[in-house]
Amino acid sequence: MDDVYTTDGQVTDHVQEAQAEDVSVKTEQSAEQPKSRKAPKKPNIHGDKNRSIRFTLTMMVTLPAVITMLVTLLYARSAMTDGMEQEMIDGLVLMAESIKGGYNETAGDYTLGDDGCIYKGEKNLTPTEESLDIYTANLDADVTLCWGKTRMATTIVQEDGSRAAGTDIADEVWATVQTGETYKTNDIQIFGEEYFAVYVPLENTDGTVVGAVFAGRPCADVSTFINQKVRTLVVLAVIILVICNVVGFFVANVLARVLKKASEMLAALSQ
C-alpha cells in the first residue's frame, strides 16, 4: 500500500512539475514577444510637407521658364527664317540689278550675234564661259544671262561638271519675266537643287524684253546658317534655364523654411 501511495505521489509531483514548466515557458514567451515587435514608425508629416512645398515652389519657377524658352525659340526660328529669306531675296535682286545696270552703261540694244554671244551695242557680254565668274568671286551664289528663256552664259554647274549654258529656264519664270516683272522665289529647283532665285528682265530701249539676268543661292546655305543660329539660341536657353532652376531651388528652400516656422507658430498658438 505504501508503494501505491508513493507511486501516486510521484505521478502527482511529475504532473505539477510539468504544469509549472509549461507556465514558465508561456511566461518567458510572453515576456520575449514584446521585445521582438518593433513599434511602427510615425510618418514624418512635416518632412513630407516641406518636400512638397519645395517641389511646388521649384516647379512654379521652372515651368514658366521652360515654357517661355520653348515659345521664344519657336518664335525666334520662325522670325529668323522669314527675315533671312527676305534678306536673301533682297540681296539677290540687288545683285541682278547691279549686273544689269553695268550692262546698260554700254550704249545700244541687246542683240544675239551669229556666234551665239549676247551683245550690248558693239560689246560682247559673253565672250567665254567664264564671263560671269567675276560677279560670283568669293560668293556662294550663281548668276546667269539668258537670251529669251535660254541660258547663254552661267556659273551654274551640272552634275557632270559642265556649265548649264544652252538649257532653258522654267516656263512659268519666263512667262512672268516677259511681262517686265521680276520673278522672285525662295523655292525653285535648278538641276535638282533648291534655290533662292530672282530673274530680272533684260529690256531694250523700246521696252521689249529680250532676256533675263538670274541671281540665285542654294537654300541649303541659308538653312545651315539658320540652324547654326538656332543651336546657339538653344545653348543660351539651356544655360538660362539651369540658372533659373538653381535660383528657384534656393528660393524654394528659403520659403519652405519660412512657411515651416509660420506653421509651427500657428500650431503653438492654437494649443
Side-chain angles (χ1 to χ4, degrees):
M1 294 295 292
D2 290 338
D3 293 338
V4 173
Y5 284 121
T6 301
T7 302
D8 292 340
Q10 290 177 348
V11 171
T12 302
D13 291 339
H14 286 304
V15 171
Q16 290 176 350
E17 288 177 3
Q19 291 176 347
E21 289 178 0
D22 185 50
V23 171
S24 175
V25 171
K26 289 182 178 179
T27 303
E28 290 177 358
Q29 290 178 347
S30 62
E32 292 176 355
Q33 190 171 3
K35 294 181 180 179
S36 62
R37 292 182 180 178
K38 294 182 179 179
K41 292 184 178 179
K42 294 182 179 180
N44 189 357
I45 299 176
H46 295 293
D48 293 340
K49 285 185 177 180
N50 288 337
R51 283 191 292 271
S52 178
I53 291 172
R54 289 193 188 96
F55 178 77
T56 301
L57 293 174
T58 303
M59 289 298 101
M60 289 175 64
V61 174
T62 304
L63 285 180
V66 171
I67 294 173
T68 301
M69 291 300 173
L70 290 175
V71 172
T72 301
L73 286 174
L74 291 175
Y75 176 78
R77 179 176 176 78
S78 176
M80 188 181 299
T81 300
D82 293 341
M84 283 295 301
E85 289 180 354
Q86 188 58 50
E87 184 178 344
M88 181 63 62
I89 293 297
D90 292 343
L92 293 174
V93 169
L94 180 61
M95 185 178 187
E97 289 287 0
S98 297
I99 295 173
K100 177 182 174 180
Y103 292 157
N104 285 340
E105 290 182 357
T106 301
D109 285 337
Y110 293 98
T111 57
L112 182 64
D114 295 335
D115 55 2
C117 296
I118 298 177
Y119 287 81
K120 182 69 163 69
E122 299 296 326
K123 184 178 180 179
N124 187 348
L125 302 179
T126 57
T128 65
E129 285 188 344
E130 296 80 17
S131 301
L132 301 180
D133 290 357
I134 188 174
Y135 299 110
T136 59
N138 301 321
L139 295 175
D140 190 10
D142 287 300
V143 295
T144 298
L145 184 59
C146 299
W147 182 262
K149 60 183 294 186
T150 302
R151 298 181 179 94
M152 305 305 296
T154 182
T155 61
I156 298 175
V157 178
Q158 302 178 88
E159 292 182 358
D160 61 1
S162 64
R163 301 209 180 206
T167 60
D168 290 344
I169 62 177
D171 291 335
E172 61 181 277
V173 174
W174 178 237
T176 299
V177 172
Q178 273 188 306
T179 65
E181 296 182 9
T182 297
Y183 184 91
K184 308 174 186 177
T185 180
N186 60 1
D187 183 20
I188 188 172
Q189 276 205 356
I190 300 177
F191 300 108
E193 187 170 7
E194 300 290 336
Y195 268 81
F196 287 90
V198 299
Y199 294 81
V200 175
L202 202 62
E203 303 159 324
N204 275 331
T205 53
D206 62 358
T208 303
V209 176
V210 295
V213 178
F214 158 85
R217 187 170 181 177
C219 294
D221 296 338
V222 180
S223 298
T224 300
F225 178 80
I226 292 173
N227 289 334
Q228 289 175 346
K229 295 299 182 182
V230 170
R231 281 195 292 269
T232 302
L233 289 175
V234 169
V235 171
L236 291 176
V238 170
I239 293 173
I240 294 173
L241 186 59
V242 170
I243 293 173
C244 288
N245 284 335
V246 172
V247 173
F249 177 77
F250 283 110
V251 171
N253 281 337
V254 172
L255 291 178
R257 284 195 294 269
V258 171
L259 291 174
K260 179 182 177 182
K261 289 181 180 179
S263 177
E264 291 175 350
M265 291 177 61
L266 290 174
L269 292 173
S270 65
Q271 291 177 355

